[in-house]
């Protein structure tokens, strides 16, 4: 299996991984490839770097996909056989839309204006993750796209994304909600706390999480939301159906740093437990190790002990300038050591992965990847035919 086959063979591709590794960039690049291949593609990005957002035409936050005009492709020397649509997750907007869809009409305005709701929709842990999945479901249900690429939020723990629907479900679980319906609150805060220690604990947690202590607001929120909760579990089940569906592929993005690779390994284990198996791995910002073929006896490794020899070669090539030659040679030896360390860690990481999962490496480019041409330049590495780890 290759990453090319993984992307070609699925309608939904989720780019997951720790924060800062290149998830948003890889998601955009995969989507661009889909559109160049003739698919009607949409990419749902979350917090794209500003310059990437600009080149995807995402100046303003709005929750509908916008098509990237042919002229923008043309200006970068690209001609898509399909089309590329991009959108940015608008967390607050997505919550409001959810309320509008599911809440009983008479309760809508009350929920939307409720300060507790406004706070919850912005700050509830997992809210962004949940809304990304909710948006994915809507895109999948629309039937408008042949390829949906989903970026995931910049959480440190990528697992948050996979567990978000259930955590939201647990939070909204009826056994919790029943404590919040109005009659209980008439007794007041202290009386309520006396009723049940766990309720007190819960309220303190909610206060901490939201900064809102006005119980009336919270009570009113849950009372008006109760109609919505009836639909919620079904919605959460639906979200998991989509995530676990045969048309969905999870691709983990990682950098070659030790901690990040460990996180990726943990994520891959958890994914199979959650029945959302990993379909591909992108190792991003990998430093290439130069391996000259002729250095037989000591293998192909270049180390600090080779600096003098290399400096001599460089000096000849520069026609003198021993200072520059030495600095360049040292820099090269350091780079080799860095790249060697990465490739050892990568080898170890591959050995722990399920068989048949393709692993591709993308080099650390000299510049940030923020326009269509740079995203297209990643394709040779992503789809260049790298084979599965044996
Ligand atoms: N292979 C690469 N080489 C150089 N820069 C990269 C590479 N991949 C990503 N970047 C840059 O790294 C930064 C973080 O990438 P991003 O995709 O936003 O990470 P994440 O979404 O995982 O937080 C961006 O500025 C992006 O342009
Ligand atoms: Mg990102």
């Amino acid at each position: 299996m290759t990453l090319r086959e993984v992307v070609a063979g699925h309608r939904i591709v989720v780019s997951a991984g720790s924060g800062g590794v290149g998830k948003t960039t890889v998601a955009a690049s995969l989507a661009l490839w889909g559109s160049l291949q003739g698919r009607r593609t949409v990419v749902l990005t979350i917090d794209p770097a500003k310059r990437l957002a600009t080149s995807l035409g995402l100046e303003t936050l709005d929750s509908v996909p916008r098509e990237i005009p042919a002229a923008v492709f043309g200006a970068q020397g690209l001609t898509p056989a399909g089309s590329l649509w991009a959108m940015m997750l608008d967390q607050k907007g997505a919550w409001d839309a959810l309320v509008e869809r599911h809440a009983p009409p008479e309760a809508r305005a009350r929920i939307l204006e409720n300060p507790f709701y406004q706070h919850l929709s912005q700050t509830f842990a997992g809210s962004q993750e949940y809304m990304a999945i909710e948006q994915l479901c809507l895109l999948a249900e629309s039937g408008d796209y042949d390829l949906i690429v989903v970026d995931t939020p910049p959480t440190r723990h990528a697992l948050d994304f996979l567990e978000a629907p259930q955590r939201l479900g647990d939070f909204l679980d009826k056994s919790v909600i029943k404590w919040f319906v109005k009659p209980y609150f008439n007794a007041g805060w202290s009386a309520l706390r006396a009723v049940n220690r766990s309720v007190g604990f819960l309220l303190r947690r909610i206060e901490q999480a939201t900064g809102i202590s006005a119980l009336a607001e919270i009570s009113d929120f849950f009372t008006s939301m109760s109609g919505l909760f009836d639909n919620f579990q079904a919605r959460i089940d639906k979200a998991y159906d989509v995530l676990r569906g045969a048309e969905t592929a999870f691709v983990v993005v990682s950098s070659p740093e030790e901690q990040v690779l460990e996180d990726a390994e943990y994520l891959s284990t958890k994914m199979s437990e959650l029945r959302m198996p990993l379909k591909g791995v992108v190792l991003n910002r990998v430093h290439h190790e130069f391996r000259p073929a002729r250095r037989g006896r000591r293998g192909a490794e270049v180390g600090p002990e080779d600096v003098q020899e290399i400096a001599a070669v460089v000096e000849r090539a520069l026609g003198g300038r021993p200072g520059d030659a030495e600095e360049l040679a040292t820099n090269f030896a350091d780079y080799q050591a860095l790249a060697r360390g990465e490739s050892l860690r990568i080898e170890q990481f591959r050995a722990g992965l399920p068989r048949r999962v393709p692993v591709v490496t993308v080099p650390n480019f000299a510049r940030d990847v923020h326009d269509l041409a740079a995203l297209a330049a990643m394709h040779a590495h992503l789809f260049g035919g790298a084979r599965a780890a044996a």
Side-chain angles (χ1 to χ4, degrees), residues 23-24 46-47 151-152 154:
K23 291 186 299 290
T24 304
I46 296 161
D47 85 313
D151 180 19
T152 51

Side-chain angles (χ1 to χ4, degrees), residues 17-26 46-49 52 151-152 154 253 284-286 362-370 378:
S18 314
V21 294
K23 291 186 299 290
T24 304
T25 310
V26 167
I46 296 161
D47 85 313
L52 178 66
D151 180 19
T152 51
V253 182
N284 192 29
R285 313 194 81 157
V286 175
V362 175
N364 187 36
F365 297 116
R367 279 181 208 87
D368 274 2
V369 183
H370 51 68
M378 289 180 102

Side-chain angles (χ1 to χ4, degrees), residues 49-243:
K50 189 152 188 338
R51 299 180 70 180
L52 178 66
T54 306
S55 47
L56 293 176
L58 298 172
E59 264 88 19
T60 52
L61 192 70
D62 64 322
S63 16
V64 284
R66 304 261 171 226
E67 184 173 8
I68 295 171
V72 173
F73 278 95
Q76 312 251 336
L78 300 166
T79 31
S83 58
L84 180 57
W85 301 66
M87 68 184 282
M88 212 190 304
L89 181 70
D90 165 12
Q91 189 185 185
K92 176 74 169 68
W95 268 96
D96 294 354
L98 186 93
V99 168
E100 308 228 336
R101 273 196 310 279
H102 296 291
E106 64 283 3
R108 268 175 218 161
R110 234 168 102 201
I111 295 173
L112 294 177
E113 282 157 21
N114 183 292
F116 176 69
Y117 161 77
Q118 289 174 357
H119 223 85
L120 182 76
S121 58
Q122 297 283 2
T123 58
F124 174 65
S127 159
Q128 201 182 22
E129 285 83 355
Y130 180 75
M131 279 306 145
I133 296 170
E134 173 68 21
Q135 285 294 343
L136 160 62
C137 291
L138 291 175
L139 291 170
E141 284 162 1
S142 77
D144 290 342
Y145 304 96
D146 322 314
L147 177 61
I148 302 167
V149 183
V150 188
D151 180 19
T152 51
T155 34
R156 213 190 86 58
H157 299 289
L159 192 60
D160 290 352
F161 180 77
L162 308 179
E163 291 180 337
Q166 199 46 58
R167 271 201 287 131
L168 189 66
D170 294 345
F171 180 72
L172 300 176
D173 185 274
K174 295 228 166 44
S175 59
V176 173
I177 291 160
K178 75 168 190 281
W179 290 104
F180 289 94
V181 283
K182 273 207 155 98
Y184 287 91
F185 282 146
N186 295 337
W189 174 267
S190 54
L192 185 68
R193 216 169 252 185
V195 170
N196 186 319
R197 284 177 65 90
S198 68
V199 172
F201 174 72
L202 194 65
L203 290 173
R204 279 195 302 281
R205 288 293 297 277
I206 290 177
E207 269 185 38
Q208 282 162 6
T210 64
I212 291 191
S213 54
L215 286 184
E217 288 167 5
I218 300 177
S219 164
D220 186 60
F221 166 74
F222 280 101
T223 311
S224 7
M225 289 284 271
S226 53
L228 193 146
F229 295 137
D230 294 337
N231 300 322
F232 234 97
Q233 192 55 49
R235 195 66 197 151
I236 287 165
D237 294 344
K238 175 84 204 346
Y240 275 119
D241 285 349
V242 170
L243 292 179

